[in-house]
Amino acid sequence: MKQFINVLLLFLATNLTAQNNIEGVVFDSQTNESIEYANIFIPQLEKGTTTNDDGEFIIKNLPSGNYKILISYIGFETFSKTVNIPLKENLQIALIPSFIEMKEVIISTPFHKLQSENVMKVEQRKISDLKAKGAINLAEGITNIPGVAGVSTGISISKPVIRGLSSNRVLVYTQGIRLENQQFGDEHGLGINDAGIESVEVIKGPASLLYGSDALGGVLYINPERFALENENETNVNLQYFSNTEGLSTNVGYKTSGEHFKFLIRGSFAEHADYNTDSYRVTNTRFNEKDLKAALGYQSLQFKTELRYNLNASKLGIPEEIGVQNLNKSPLLPYQSIHNHIFSSKSKFYFEDSSLDVDLGFTYNDRKEFEEHHHHHEEHEEHEEHHEEEAHEEEEVLDPALQMKLKTFNYDIKYHLPVLGKFETIVGVQGMHQVNSNYGEEQLIPNATTNDFGVLATSHIHFEKADIQLGARFDTRSLKVVGGLEKDFTSFNGALGIKTNLANNLVARLNLATGFRAPNLAELTSYGSHEGTNRFEIGNENLLNEQNFQTDLAIEYKTDHLEIFANGFYNVINDYIYLSPNGEIINDNPVYLYLQEDATLYGGEVGIHIHPHPLDWLHFESSFETVTGKRSNNEFLPLIPANKFKNTLRAEFHLESVKKGFAFVSLNTTLKQNNISDFETNTSGYNLLSAGFGGELKLFKNSLHLQVTGNNLTNKKYINHLSRLKSDGIYDIGRNISVSVSYTL
């Protein structure tokens, strides 16, 4: 007993001595004046604060160890430094004035570094910046990121495309876990609401080393809203109106944090009528969406955890032809009704000189598709208005034609080994257990169980003039269809990257990586018609893994007033899976088969950002992106986005009455797409003009953020090459003016 008491006392003494503080002061390097309200943040611990009126700060109750500390403030370069806790003396932080945007921590890569320190090229955008450009939803907003596009069915259903690859080739992460929501279907949307989302990161290229199967083409990593700073709370209300659809999007959130416990909750609602092309409204592109996000966090010296839950309930019309013309917002038949539940747990254990991450997740996706009875098709042409009323009356008694429930459990465990000289190393295991079940009268894919398991190791090596990141991974997937097919897939993958300074202000990144994707259930077993795609799909149980190798070169040149970047990639995919028509017709739909053939994709993005002196408040940004995809027989791949130019002139200003003010005008030029597959048609080019302004005001001593944005101001009639409505000659959305108000208490 005495020994036990001694051990306990020793343990308590160790923990007491480990309760460290960081103190310091932040000031302007040129004027030596203190900077108030500067943000102080320690990413590994997810703890932070702001400076007081004298530029001073203190962060209490920190465990011993090496941690990166970031200090940021608008108009200054983000300061980054690794500190050893306990500190021997207070920090004196001199921030350097800069009109380049503040840099954020990259979360999607395992070492949590600023992009300037990262070996992999990762694009990060704040949701607030995407919404400032008038995006109706998150899926539309991410298409403003270079190299990212979307396969869309109207304005409510869109799937991310990264450098010409989409569907299961792009893995989506949210709340720190992989999102599984029947994403194999072309008419299945992202299913994530932008309310309660902090930022989005895009890894362009194979990320199988970090994430396993389905990351062959890249990763869309969605960072949830942060908790409030310690001992602070915040309430805000956001409202956005869209003129084209007479749509409304609103959300309300509250968050509070104490010394150990943190809590936040946010609810949102959105609804839109059919969008207008100026010539007509596109019937049944209407939709509505409800979303709830909640999180609870706890943090102590040696442990921190957060539990998050997201419920997204959406009702999405599936457009077929131009019919009724009104502003009703309840979808007609056919439509999708989707409920998506995401539970996640992210925990971190801190040891003396190492740490352990344990991320667990459960996703429950309930997808229903409702269709018209056959005799209604005849009535539809003659009695469209009557049919709309009738469809709503029958909605209560209709059973879903298709109902699939997908239940997925994920785990991701990573151990950060003690730093050995220049080496930071992580080892880990990841896995997934997934069950698909059918309940509707139709069955598109069968009941099945999928199990994934992977083991990985990756290191970041710091040299004086270069940083190197390398790693390897082994994965296995087993798939069992109830009463039928059993398949096993394995793959070994690796990655090697280097970042170095070629000259002053000139940085180069070269990354070589392999990736893989196991065939999904739809590709192996589907047999049926897809609403929204107008085709009858037949799976192929003999499909093999897709395996790719990509070379990616990124060069960046930065000065105080000029930024230039050039990214190029060459991606070779063995056994690329694609759909091809065989000339047959079933249920009035053309039959498409899943086939395999080697393929190659290549292209890149180049751009320039000028903020000339002395007009540092003025910014001019221009970029060009291109991708070409071909099969080994030299035929073009389908669904490859057209080449694009994006040009933006933006002004930023800070006045006594208006803080964080901005105004912009953009011209986005999409070129003709003539590089098409054998079942596509050419798409004409077009120009879209956008403009907007906004800023932050004080109302009753609280912040009111107001912005107005206009998209497609010339009301151009156009069709995006990746639109699912292209085959019917249906135009994309016309002029849209959005007004957004955000009030923080």
Side-chain angles (χ1 to χ4, degrees), residues 181-294:
N181 65 347
Q182 307 280 6
Q183 65 268 26
F184 62 85
D186 294 315
E187 78 287 5
H188 298 179
L190 191 59
I192 296 290
N193 188 281
D194 56 46
I197 300 297
E198 189 89 17
S199 62
V200 175
E201 297 173 15
V202 178
I203 301 176
K204 294 182 283 191
S208 292
L209 170 66
L210 302 177
Y211 299 107
S213 181
D214 295 354
L216 175 142
V219 174
L220 181 67
Y221 199 97
I222 300 172
N223 295 314
E225 180 178 6
R226 292 180 184 176
F227 290 103
L229 296 176
E230 190 172 304
N231 297 320
E232 294 187 11
N233 61 75
E234 179 183 299
T235 301
N236 66 24
V237 181
N238 303 279
L239 182 67
Q240 191 167 12
Y241 171 77
F242 304 89
S243 66
N244 186 286
T245 62
E246 295 197 3
L248 190 66
S249 174
T250 182
N251 70 81
V252 180
Y254 170 76
K255 53 186 176 181
T256 182
S257 294
E259 184 176 336
H260 295 294
F261 286 97
K262 308 172 184 180
F263 173 74
L264 66 82
I265 187 169
R266 184 169 300 277
S268 68
F269 174 75
E271 64 175 0
H272 294 264
D274 297 335
Y275 75 79
N276 195 0
T277 68
D278 187 42
S279 295
Y280 48 77
R281 291 195 175 274
V282 180
T283 309
N284 212 23
T285 54
R286 60 193 73 175
F287 70 97
N288 58 67
E289 181 181 27
K290 304 178 184 70
D291 190 86
L292 173 68
K293 293 183 176 74

Side-chain angles (χ1 to χ4, degrees), residues 422-671:
K422 301 179 184 295
F423 285 77
E424 289 182 75
T425 301
I426 296 173
V427 296
V429 295
Q430 296 173 336
M432 179 183 77
H433 174 72
Q434 185 175 88
V435 178
N436 181 71
S437 304
N438 285 276
Y439 295 88
E441 60 187 68
E442 298 178 6
Q443 179 174 297
L444 182 62
I445 59 174
N447 298 343
T449 300
T450 303
N451 284 291
D452 284 359
F453 177 78
V455 57
L456 67 97
T458 181
S459 290
H460 189 110
I461 311 168
H462 304 269
F463 295 104
E464 184 177 348
K465 295 185 178 181
D467 285 87
I468 293 177
Q469 187 171 319
L470 52 84
R473 177 186 180 114
F474 175 77
D475 284 272
T476 179
R477 166 173 287 187
S478 65
L479 189 150
K480 294 183 179 180
V481 176
V482 175
L485 182 69
E486 292 189 14
K487 300 283 288 187
D488 292 295
F489 304 93
T490 61
S491 184
F492 180 84
N493 291 278
L496 173 64
I498 181 171
K499 179 185 79 75
T500 186
N501 293 328
L502 298 178
N504 289 337
N505 304 319
L506 185 62
V507 177
R509 292 179 175 86
L510 176 63
N511 283 275
L512 311 174
T514 65
F516 86 104
R517 184 180 73 90
N520 60 48
L521 267 177
E523 293 163 336
L524 292 167
T525 64
S526 65
Y527 189 86
S529 298
H530 272 227
E531 290 287 347
T533 62
N534 300 318
R535 61 179 179 237
F536 192 99
E537 296 182 6
I538 299 178
N540 180 355
E541 64 180 37
N542 297 314
L543 295 175
L544 306 173
N545 271 346
E546 290 183 337
Q547 191 78 43
N548 77 328
F549 177 79
Q550 178 166 310
T551 301
D552 194 299
L553 177 62
I555 298 177
E556 299 173 6
Y557 175 78
K558 288 187 179 182
T559 66
D560 290 341
H561 302 282
L562 176 65
E563 299 175 68
I564 300 174
F565 71 87
N567 308 323
F569 73 94
Y570 192 82
N571 189 4
V572 178
I573 306 177
N574 294 327
D575 297 315
Y576 179 89
I577 300 172
Y578 65 98
L579 276 168
S580 180
N582 69 352
E584 298 179 9
I585 301 293
I586 299 180
N587 295 341
D588 297 325
N589 288 321
V591 174
Y592 280 73
L593 306 178
Y594 283 100
L595 305 176
Q596 283 190 301
E597 187 177 336
D598 294 346
T600 303
L601 294 99
Y602 53 90
E605 307 87 35
V606 295
I608 186 171
H609 179 185
I610 303 173
H611 31 98
H613 181 74
L615 305 178
D616 297 301
W617 50 269
L618 186 65
H619 298 255
F620 174 71
E621 299 174 73
S622 181
S623 65
F624 172 72
E625 56 192 84
T626 179
V627 58
T628 300
K630 290 186 176 183
R631 307 204 316 253
S632 58
N633 64 1
N634 216 35
E635 295 288 336
F636 289 107
L637 292 176
L639 297 177
I640 299 297
N643 297 341
K644 296 178 183 177
F645 286 97
K646 297 180 180 179
N647 298 282
T648 300
L649 185 66
R650 187 175 83 251
E652 297 176 351
F653 52 90
H654 301 279
L655 306 175
E656 184 176 344
S657 57
V658 180
K659 306 297 183 183
K660 301 178 182 178
F662 73 90
F664 76 90
V665 58
S666 295
L667 179 65
N668 293 337
T669 300
T670 300
L671 303 182

Side-chain angles (χ1 to χ4, degrees), residues 65-98:
N66 292 314
Y67 303 100
K68 184 179 294 294
I69 184 170
L70 303 177
I71 296 92
S72 59
Y73 189 70
I74 293 177
F76 293 86
E77 289 185 12
T78 299
F79 178 88
S80 171
K81 181 180 181 179
T82 299
V83 297
N84 183 269
I85 301 176
L87 290 177
K88 296 181 180 179
E89 57 185 18
N90 292 349
L91 296 174
Q92 302 289 317
I93 309 298
L95 295 187
I96 301 173
S98 172

